[in-house]
Amino acid sequence: MTTRRTRPAPRPPEGTPAPAELARQARAVLADAVRIARWAAAGHAPALTAPLTDRASLERAAAALELTPLQVRAGWDRARLAGLVEVHGDTVRPGWRLRAWDRDDMAVLRGWVALFDAWSLAHPAPGDAAPAAVAEAVEAVPQVLSLLQLSAGPVAMPALLDLLQQRVAELREERCEVPLPPGEAAPCGTTPGHAVPADAASGNVPSGNVPSGNVPSGDAASGGAAPIATPSLTLSSLLDWAMEGLCAVGALTLDQGQATLTPLGNWAVWVKLEQICVAAQSPAGNIEQSAEDMLRGCARLTPGPARDEYRAWLAARPVSSAVAELLAVARGEDALLRGLAFEALRVVGAPAEPDVRAAADEPSLRPYALLWLAEYEGVDPEDAADVLTREEATWLWVDTAAAVTDHGEPQLLLRHLDSAVQNTVPALLEEVRAGGHPRTVQVLVALAAAHPDPALAKAVRRAAFQVHTGGA
């Protein structure tokens, strides 16, 4: 287990506009994408697929939206990359960001950051570019962005090119290429005399220590190793392509051979730096662990430090996969981890809402999901339990009691009696027996063993026996 030292998060750049102003700028960048997303999600484009290649659909959308087919194609790609739409087979559905677009500035900013991260997909590399050379350039671009932010003003392209060349050279050195055996030919696209590094051969581009843009998928990320820039496409040309791509998504401006970060770009680079610092603030060292192991590690922590661990763990991985992993743990047999998984999902916030809403259809997750949604929608935590039916509240009581039984002390189980919606133990037993929770017998047996009142303990044991044998 690795222990991380805490570092202070960087401060926002001086003069950074307020979130409302940044959101206004992001809405302007994505205006066409939002129009196309709403048109598609309204059912006008049931046959749209990704990527959008159907010329008839392109022309129909262009006519309806008064855009050119090229603008529609570009806007559609941006809508998908920004999470404005979700494509399920031939069905287009509005993403959560599109539904919140007009009222939630942070949803807008998250959508723009997703587009910023995917700039190399929104602005594909030239066709004659060597895929591995493109991958190197993309991996080196965050260093260029860091220089632009530190400079707090225009930077000449020759200075950016010099930094890009240095970073690419470092990446090649870090790969520690192994010389080929005498007489063996080098794979196409590699530096003669060197073998393909294992990570490059598998398509896994190593990550740097600076805020990342987006590593291209498909061919752009699966090339060979340590290629040299081809004569037809030098690093200078790749730098021009990268700057144009970042300019196209609103992250910087180009003027007279100089590049300058926009307020949005300046803020986005700061966000990436902040994420790195947050990921480093994990005193318990759970960042590299699976969701299950991370939650088990957090079970020993008080709520404040546990939330710090959740934030650090979430900052180190894509939100969608983190949410899926947490819900997978919640579906397991350990009731304690189920509760902790939803605590971690509270830290995720709005991006988890569609998946949590879907989880409400699963009986074992429904009470947790309904409480999460109530709090997300602004219900006071003390009143959130009112959204549960009596049956759901009883099921949750048994599930929580199972967590206490597995991981807590007998006295905790006795105190847990006070949280039941029923006023008496006999009423609780009657409804628990009818609830059908798979851990009912174990919970009742543990409660009977812990209860100091012999008469009540006997009644609880009888209830456990009846549930076990299926009796009335």
Side-chain angles (χ1 to χ4, degrees), residues 27-58:
R27 286 187 174 96
V29 172
L30 285 162
D32 285 351
V34 170
R35 290 183 62 207
I36 294 166
R38 285 175 172 161
W39 180 83
H44 299 297
L48 289 185
T49 56
L52 181 60
T53 55
D54 183 345
R55 184 165 184 80
S57 295
L58 274 172

PDB file of all heavy atoms in Angstrom, residues 27-58:
ATOM      1  N   ARG A  27     -21.103  27.705 -23.000  1.00  0.00           N
ATOM      2  CA  ARG A  27     -22.347  27.569 -23.756  1.00  0.00           C
ATOM      3  C   ARG A  27     -22.176  28.111 -25.173  1.00  0.00           C
ATOM      4  O   ARG A  27     -22.726  27.558 -26.136  1.00  0.00           O
ATOM      5  CB  ARG A  27     -23.484  28.307 -23.054  1.00  0.00           C
ATOM      6  CG  ARG A  27     -24.008  27.598 -21.806  1.00  0.00           C
ATOM      7  CD  ARG A  27     -25.251  28.302 -21.245  1.00  0.00           C
ATOM      8  NE  ARG A  27     -25.845  27.564 -20.133  1.00  0.00           N
ATOM      9  CZ  ARG A  27     -25.611  27.805 -18.856  1.00  0.00           C
ATOM     10  NH1 ARG A  27     -24.791  28.805 -18.508  1.00  0.00           N
ATOM     11  NH2 ARG A  27     -26.180  27.084 -17.919  1.00  0.00           N
ATOM     12  N   ALA A  28     -21.411  29.187 -25.314  1.00  0.00           N
ATOM     13  CA  ALA A  28     -21.177  29.752 -26.646  1.00  0.00           C
ATOM     14  C   ALA A  28     -20.371  28.781 -27.513  1.00  0.00           C
ATOM     15  O   ALA A  28     -20.670  28.592 -28.695  1.00  0.00           O
ATOM     16  CB  ALA A  28     -20.446  31.090 -26.524  1.00  0.00           C
ATOM     17  N   VAL A  29     -19.355  28.136 -26.926  1.00  0.00           N
ATOM     18  CA  VAL A  29     -18.537  27.183 -27.686  1.00  0.00           C
ATOM     19  C   VAL A  29     -19.382  26.004 -28.162  1.00  0.00           C
ATOM     20  O   VAL A  29     -19.213  25.499 -29.273  1.00  0.00           O
ATOM     21  CB  VAL A  29     -17.357  26.681 -26.825  1.00  0.00           C
ATOM     22  CG1 VAL A  29     -16.616  25.537 -27.519  1.00  0.00           C
ATOM     23  CG2 VAL A  29     -16.397  27.828 -26.524  1.00  0.00           C
ATOM     24  N   LEU A  30     -20.311  25.568 -27.318  1.00  0.00           N
ATOM     25  CA  LEU A  30     -21.084  24.362 -27.611  1.00  0.00           C
ATOM     26  C   LEU A  30     -22.500  24.664 -28.107  1.00  0.00           C
ATOM     27  O   LEU A  30     -23.365  23.784 -28.107  1.00  0.00           O
ATOM     28  CB  LEU A  30     -21.162  23.491 -26.353  1.00  0.00           C
ATOM     29  CG  LEU A  30     -19.871  22.734 -26.025  1.00  0.00           C
ATOM     30  CD1 LEU A  30     -19.874  22.255 -24.579  1.00  0.00           C
ATOM     31  CD2 LEU A  30     -19.697  21.557 -26.966  1.00  0.00           C
ATOM     32  N   ALA A  31     -22.743  25.880 -28.561  1.00  0.00           N
ATOM     33  CA  ALA A  31     -24.101  26.271 -28.958  1.00  0.00           C
ATOM     34  C   ALA A  31     -24.644  25.375 -30.070  1.00  0.00           C
ATOM     35  O   ALA A  31     -25.779  24.874 -29.989  1.00  0.00           O
ATOM     36  CB  ALA A  31     -24.114  27.738 -29.394  1.00  0.00           C
ATOM     37  N   ASP A  32     -23.850  25.153 -31.124  1.00  0.00           N
ATOM     38  CA  ASP A  32     -24.317  24.302 -32.223  1.00  0.00           C
ATOM     39  C   ASP A  32     -24.509  22.867 -31.758  1.00  0.00           C
ATOM     40  O   ASP A  32     -25.466  22.186 -32.164  1.00  0.00           O
ATOM     41  CB  ASP A  32     -23.329  24.335 -33.394  1.00  0.00           C
ATOM     42  CG  ASP A  32     -23.420  25.633 -34.183  1.00  0.00           C
ATOM     43  OD1 ASP A  32     -24.350  26.422 -33.930  1.00  0.00           O
ATOM     44  OD2 ASP A  32     -22.546  25.859 -35.049  1.00  0.00           O
ATOM     45  N   ALA A  33     -23.610  22.390 -30.911  1.00  0.00           N
ATOM     46  CA  ALA A  33     -23.730  21.017 -30.412  1.00  0.00           C
ATOM     47  C   ALA A  33     -25.017  20.838 -29.625  1.00  0.00           C
ATOM     48  O   ALA A  33     -25.689  19.798 -29.732  1.00  0.00           O
ATOM     49  CB  ALA A  33     -22.516  20.673 -29.552  1.00  0.00           C
ATOM     50  N   VAL A  34     -25.386  21.836 -28.819  1.00  0.00           N
ATOM     51  CA  VAL A  34     -26.618  21.754 -28.034  1.00  0.00           C
ATOM     52  C   VAL A  34     -27.833  21.751 -28.950  1.00  0.00           C
ATOM     53  O   VAL A  34     -28.779  20.967 -28.756  1.00  0.00           O
ATOM     54  CB  VAL A  34     -26.689  22.920 -27.032  1.00  0.00           C
ATOM     55  CG1 VAL A  34     -28.065  23.000 -26.381  1.00  0.00           C
ATOM     56  CG2 VAL A  34     -25.616  22.759 -25.960  1.00  0.00           C
ATOM     57  N   ARG A  35     -27.829  22.597 -29.969  1.00  0.00           N
ATOM     58  CA  ARG A  35     -28.953  22.626 -30.917  1.00  0.00           C
ATOM     59  C   ARG A  35     -29.132  21.282 -31.598  1.00  0.00           C
ATOM     60  O   ARG A  35     -30.244  20.751 -31.713  1.00  0.00           O
ATOM     61  CB  ARG A  35     -28.728  23.707 -31.978  1.00  0.00           C
ATOM     62  CG  ARG A  35     -28.838  25.142 -31.476  1.00  0.00           C
ATOM     63  CD  ARG A  35     -28.663  26.114 -32.639  1.00  0.00           C
ATOM     64  NE  ARG A  35     -29.706  25.938 -33.638  1.00  0.00           N
ATOM     65  CZ  ARG A  35     -29.569  26.226 -34.936  1.00  0.00           C
ATOM     66  NH1 ARG A  35     -28.407  26.661 -35.398  1.00  0.00           N
ATOM     67  NH2 ARG A  35     -30.573  26.049 -35.768  1.00  0.00           N
ATOM     68  N   ILE A  36     -28.031  20.698 -32.046  1.00  0.00           N
ATOM     69  CA  ILE A  36     -28.090  19.408 -32.739  1.00  0.00           C
ATOM     70  C   ILE A  36     -28.516  18.308 -31.775  1.00  0.00           C
ATOM     71  O   ILE A  36     -29.317  17.428 -32.127  1.00  0.00           O
ATOM     72  CB  ILE A  36     -26.722  19.095 -33.384  1.00  0.00           C
ATOM     73  CG1 ILE A  36     -26.443  20.110 -34.496  1.00  0.00           C
ATOM     74  CG2 ILE A  36     -26.665  17.672 -33.916  1.00  0.00           C
ATOM     75  CD1 ILE A  36     -25.013  20.112 -34.970  1.00  0.00           C
ATOM     76  N   ALA A  37     -27.995  18.357 -30.545  1.00  0.00           N
ATOM     77  CA  ALA A  37     -28.356  17.340 -29.557  1.00  0.00           C
ATOM     78  C   ALA A  37     -29.855  17.387 -29.256  1.00  0.00           C
ATOM     79  O   ALA A  37     -30.521  16.343 -29.167  1.00  0.00           O
ATOM     80  CB  ALA A  37     -27.548  17.562 -28.287  1.00  0.00           C
ATOM     81  N   ARG A  38     -30.401  18.589 -29.105  1.00  0.00           N
ATOM     82  CA  ARG A  38     -31.827  18.708 -28.804  1.00  0.00           C
ATOM     83  C   ARG A  38     -32.667  18.263 -29.990  1.00  0.00           C
ATOM     84  O   ARG A  38     -33.706  17.622 -29.826  1.00  0.00           O
ATOM     85  CB  ARG A  38     -32.142  20.159 -28.412  1.00  0.00           C
ATOM     86  CG  ARG A  38     -31.662  20.493 -27.003  1.00  0.00           C
ATOM     87  CD  ARG A  38     -31.863  21.946 -26.651  1.00  0.00           C
ATOM     88  NE  ARG A  38     -31.574  22.163 -25.232  1.00  0.00           N
ATOM     89  CZ  ARG A  38     -31.302  23.344 -24.696  1.00  0.00           C
ATOM     90  NH1 ARG A  38     -31.273  24.437 -25.468  1.00  0.00           N
ATOM     91  NH2 ARG A  38     -31.052  23.458 -23.402  1.00  0.00           N
ATOM     92  N   TRP A  39     -32.213  18.571 -31.185  1.00  0.00           N
ATOM     93  CA  TRP A  39     -32.924  18.145 -32.386  1.00  0.00           C
ATOM     94  C   TRP A  39     -32.928  16.616 -32.480  1.00  0.00           C
ATOM     95  O   TRP A  39     -33.967  16.005 -32.752  1.00  0.00           O
ATOM     96  CB  TRP A  39     -32.246  18.759 -33.611  1.00  0.00           C
ATOM     97  CG  TRP A  39     -32.883  18.394 -34.920  1.00  0.00           C
ATOM     98  CD1 TRP A  39     -33.963  18.976 -35.509  1.00  0.00           C
ATOM     99  CD2 TRP A  39     -32.462  17.346 -35.805  1.00  0.00           C
ATOM    100  NE1 TRP A  39     -34.243  18.371 -36.708  1.00  0.00           N
ATOM    101  CE2 TRP A  39     -33.332  17.361 -36.913  1.00  0.00           C
ATOM    102  CE3 TRP A  39     -31.434  16.410 -35.768  1.00  0.00           C
ATOM    103  CZ2 TRP A  39     -33.202  16.473 -37.972  1.00  0.00           C
ATOM    104  CZ3 TRP A  39     -31.305  15.524 -36.824  1.00  0.00           C
ATOM    105  CH2 TRP A  39     -32.173  15.551 -37.913  1.00  0.00           C
ATOM    106  N   ALA A  40     -31.785  16.012 -32.240  1.00  0.00           N
ATOM    107  CA  ALA A  40     -31.680  14.557 -32.338  1.00  0.00           C
ATOM    108  C   ALA A  40     -32.460  13.870 -31.228  1.00  0.00           C
ATOM    109  O   ALA A  40     -33.188  12.900 -31.461  1.00  0.00           O
ATOM    110  CB  ALA A  40     -30.212  14.139 -32.286  1.00  0.00           C
ATOM    111  N   ALA A  41     -32.334  14.380 -29.992  1.00  0.00           N
ATOM    112  CA  ALA A  41     -32.971  13.739 -28.851  1.00  0.00           C
ATOM    113  C   ALA A  41     -34.490  13.903 -28.871  1.00  0.00           C
ATOM    114  O   ALA A  41     -35.208  13.148 -28.215  1.00  0.00           O
ATOM    115  CB  ALA A  41     -32.411  14.309 -27.553  1.00  0.00           C
ATOM    116  N   ALA A  42     -34.973  14.885 -29.640  1.00  0.00           N
ATOM    117  CA  ALA A  42     -36.421  15.103 -29.723  1.00  0.00           C
ATOM    118  C   ALA A  42     -37.090  14.097 -30.643  1.00  0.00           C
ATOM    119  O   ALA A  42     -38.305  14.142 -30.829  1.00  0.00           O
ATOM    120  CB  ALA A  42     -36.704  16.521 -30.199  1.00  0.00           C
ATOM    121  N   GLY A  43     -36.301  13.190 -31.227  1.00  0.00           N
ATOM    122  CA  GLY A  43     -36.882  12.154 -32.063  1.00  0.00           C
ATOM    123  C   GLY A  43     -36.820  12.459 -33.540  1.00  0.00           C
ATOM    124  O   GLY A  43     -37.358  11.707 -34.363  1.00  0.00           O
ATOM    125  N   HIS A  44     -36.138  13.542 -33.918  1.00  0.00           N
ATOM    126  CA  HIS A  44     -36.025  13.872 -35.327  1.00  0.00           C
ATOM    127  C   HIS A  44     -34.986  13.011 -36.032  1.00  0.00           C
ATOM    128  O   HIS A  44     -34.924  13.007 -37.257  1.00  0.00           O
ATOM    129  CB  HIS A  44     -35.646  15.345 -35.491  1.00  0.00           C
ATOM    130  CG  HIS A  44     -36.661  16.284 -34.920  1.00  0.00           C
ATOM    131  ND1 HIS A  44     -37.948  16.383 -35.388  1.00  0.00           N
ATOM    132  CD2 HIS A  44     -36.587  17.154 -33.874  1.00  0.00           C
ATOM    133  CE1 HIS A  44     -38.617  17.285 -34.690  1.00  0.00           C
ATOM    134  NE2 HIS A  44     -37.813  17.760 -33.749  1.00  0.00           N
ATOM    135  N   ALA A  45     -34.155  12.329 -35.259  1.00  0.00           N
ATOM    136  CA  ALA A  45     -33.070  11.571 -35.871  1.00  0.00           C
ATOM    137  C   ALA A  45     -32.992  10.165 -35.286  1.00  0.00           C
ATOM    138  O   ALA A  45     -31.992   9.776 -34.714  1.00  0.00           O
ATOM    139  CB  ALA A  45     -31.753  12.299 -35.665  1.00  0.00           C
ATOM    140  N   PRO A  46     -34.060   9.369 -35.430  1.00  0.00           N
ATOM    141  CA  PRO A  46     -34.042   8.037 -34.816  1.00  0.00           C
ATOM    142  C   PRO A  46     -33.013   7.100 -35.399  1.00  0.00           C
ATOM    143  O   PRO A  46     -32.641   6.114 -34.770  1.00  0.00           O
ATOM    144  CB  PRO A  46     -35.467   7.525 -35.088  1.00  0.00           C
ATOM    145  CG  PRO A  46     -35.912   8.281 -36.303  1.00  0.00           C
ATOM    146  CD  PRO A  46     -35.294   9.640 -36.185  1.00  0.00           C
ATOM    147  N   ALA A  47     -32.550   7.378 -36.602  1.00  0.00           N
ATOM    148  CA  ALA A  47     -31.591   6.463 -37.230  1.00  0.00           C
ATOM    149  C   ALA A  47     -30.151   6.923 -37.098  1.00  0.00           C
ATOM    150  O   ALA A  47     -29.258   6.325 -37.674  1.00  0.00           O
ATOM    151  CB  ALA A  47     -31.938   6.292 -38.707  1.00  0.00           C
ATOM    152  N   LEU A  48     -29.904   7.994 -36.345  1.00  0.00           N
ATOM    153  CA  LEU A  48     -28.535   8.475 -36.213  1.00  0.00           C
ATOM    154  C   LEU A  48     -27.698   7.470 -35.442  1.00  0.00           C
ATOM    155  O   LEU A  48     -28.133   6.889 -34.460  1.00  0.00           O
ATOM    156  CB  LEU A  48     -28.508   9.815 -35.478  1.00  0.00           C
ATOM    157  CG  LEU A  48     -29.055  11.020 -36.233  1.00  0.00           C
ATOM    158  CD1 LEU A  48     -28.838  12.264 -35.399  1.00  0.00           C
ATOM    159  CD2 LEU A  48     -28.409  11.186 -37.589  1.00  0.00           C
ATOM    160  N   THR A  49     -26.497   7.258 -35.932  1.00  0.00           N
ATOM    161  CA  THR A  49     -25.551   6.414 -35.225  1.00  0.00           C
ATOM    162  C   THR A  49     -24.255   7.181 -35.104  1.00  0.00           C
ATOM    163  O   THR A  49     -24.096   8.257 -35.652  1.00  0.00           O
ATOM    164  CB  THR A  49     -25.304   5.092 -35.968  1.00  0.00           C
ATOM    165  OG1 THR A  49     -24.861   5.381 -37.294  1.00  0.00           O
ATOM    166  CG2 THR A  49     -26.564   4.255 -36.024  1.00  0.00           C
ATOM    167  N   ALA A  50     -23.309   6.637 -34.350  1.00  0.00           N
ATOM    168  CA  ALA A  50     -22.043   7.332 -34.132  1.00  0.00           C
ATOM    169  C   ALA A  50     -20.921   6.514 -34.739  1.00  0.00           C
ATOM    170  O   ALA A  50     -20.819   5.320 -34.471  1.00  0.00           O
ATOM    171  CB  ALA A  50     -21.814   7.526 -32.643  1.00  0.00           C
ATOM    172  N   PRO A  51     -20.024   7.098 -35.538  1.00  0.00           N
ATOM    173  CA  PRO A  51     -20.088   8.498 -35.964  1.00  0.00           C
ATOM    174  C   PRO A  51     -21.172   8.726 -37.016  1.00  0.00           C
ATOM    175  O   PRO A  51     -21.575   7.782 -37.698  1.00  0.00           O
ATOM    176  CB  PRO A  51     -18.690   8.733 -36.562  1.00  0.00           C
ATOM    177  CG  PRO A  51     -18.284   7.398 -37.057  1.00  0.00           C
ATOM    178  CD  PRO A  51     -18.839   6.402 -36.084  1.00  0.00           C
ATOM    179  N   LEU A  52     -21.640   9.946 -37.143  1.00  0.00           N
ATOM    180  CA  LEU A  52     -22.715  10.289 -38.064  1.00  0.00           C
ATOM    181  C   LEU A  52     -22.181  10.265 -39.491  1.00  0.00           C
ATOM    182  O   LEU A  52     -21.340  11.062 -39.863  1.00  0.00           O
ATOM    183  CB  LEU A  52     -23.247  11.682 -37.703  1.00  0.00           C
ATOM    184  CG  LEU A  52     -24.399  12.215 -38.545  1.00  0.00           C
ATOM    185  CD1 LEU A  52     -25.588  11.290 -38.449  1.00  0.00           C
ATOM    186  CD2 LEU A  52     -24.782  13.605 -38.080  1.00  0.00           C
ATOM    187  N   THR A  53     -22.652   9.317 -40.300  1.00  0.00           N
ATOM    188  CA  THR A  53     -22.143   9.186 -41.667  1.00  0.00           C
ATOM    189  C   THR A  53     -23.254   9.163 -42.708  1.00  0.00           C
ATOM    190  O   THR A  53     -22.985   9.199 -43.902  1.00  0.00           O
ATOM    191  CB  THR A  53     -21.320   7.888 -41.809  1.00  0.00           C
ATOM    192  OG1 THR A  53     -22.125   6.780 -41.395  1.00  0.00           O
ATOM    193  CG2 THR A  53     -20.072   7.943 -40.947  1.00  0.00           C
ATOM    194  N   ASP A  54     -24.493   9.058 -42.269  1.00  0.00           N
ATOM    195  CA  ASP A  54     -25.621   8.989 -43.189  1.00  0.00           C
ATOM    196  C   ASP A  54     -25.856  10.361 -43.817  1.00  0.00           C
ATOM    197  O   ASP A  54     -26.263  11.306 -43.145  1.00  0.00           O
ATOM    198  CB  ASP A  54     -26.859   8.540 -42.402  1.00  0.00           C
ATOM    199  CG  ASP A  54     -28.082   8.360 -43.292  1.00  0.00           C
ATOM    200  OD1 ASP A  54     -28.046   8.840 -44.437  1.00  0.00           O
ATOM    201  OD2 ASP A  54     -29.054   7.755 -42.819  1.00  0.00           O
ATOM    202  N   ARG A  55     -25.605  10.465 -45.112  1.00  0.00           N
ATOM    203  CA  ARG A  55     -25.711  11.770 -45.771  1.00  0.00           C
ATOM    204  C   ARG A  55     -27.136  12.310 -45.732  1.00  0.00           C
ATOM    205  O   ARG A  55     -27.350  13.511 -45.561  1.00  0.00           O
ATOM    206  CB  ARG A  55     -25.222  11.674 -47.215  1.00  0.00           C
ATOM    207  CG  ARG A  55     -25.225  13.012 -47.933  1.00  0.00           C
ATOM    208  CD  ARG A  55     -24.425  12.996 -49.215  1.00  0.00           C
ATOM    209  NE  ARG A  55     -24.370  14.321 -49.817  1.00  0.00           N
ATOM    210  CZ  ARG A  55     -23.556  15.289 -49.435  1.00  0.00           C
ATOM    211  NH1 ARG A  55     -22.727  15.063 -48.432  1.00  0.00           N
ATOM    212  NH2 ARG A  55     -23.562  16.453 -50.038  1.00  0.00           N
ATOM    213  N   ALA A  56     -28.117  11.406 -45.838  1.00  0.00           N
ATOM    214  CA  ALA A  56     -29.512  11.868 -45.807  1.00  0.00           C
ATOM    215  C   ALA A  56     -29.835  12.501 -44.455  1.00  0.00           C
ATOM    216  O   ALA A  56     -30.486  13.553 -44.387  1.00  0.00           O
ATOM    217  CB  ALA A  56     -30.447  10.697 -46.088  1.00  0.00           C
ATOM    218  N   SER A  57     -29.373  11.877 -43.372  1.00  0.00           N
ATOM    219  CA  SER A  57     -29.614  12.441 -42.044  1.00  0.00           C
ATOM    220  C   SER A  57     -28.881  13.759 -41.872  1.00  0.00           C
ATOM    221  O   SER A  57     -29.406  14.703 -41.277  1.00  0.00           O
ATOM    222  CB  SER A  57     -29.155  11.451 -40.967  1.00  0.00           C
ATOM    223  OG  SER A  57     -29.925  10.279 -41.005  1.00  0.00           O
ATOM    224  N   LEU A  58     -27.654  13.819 -42.404  1.00  0.00           N
ATOM    225  CA  LEU A  58     -26.890  15.060 -42.334  1.00  0.00           C
ATOM    226  C   LEU A  58     -27.633  16.198 -43.028  1.00  0.00           C
ATOM    227  O   LEU A  58     -27.764  17.301 -42.495  1.00  0.00           O
ATOM    228  CB  LEU A  58     -25.521  14.872 -42.995  1.00  0.00           C
ATOM    229  CG  LEU A  58     -24.383  14.314 -42.148  1.00  0.00           C
ATOM    230  CD1 LEU A  58     -23.176  14.032 -43.033  1.00  0.00           C
ATOM    231  CD2 LEU A  58     -24.003  15.286 -41.055  1.00  0.00           C
TER     232      LEU A  58
END
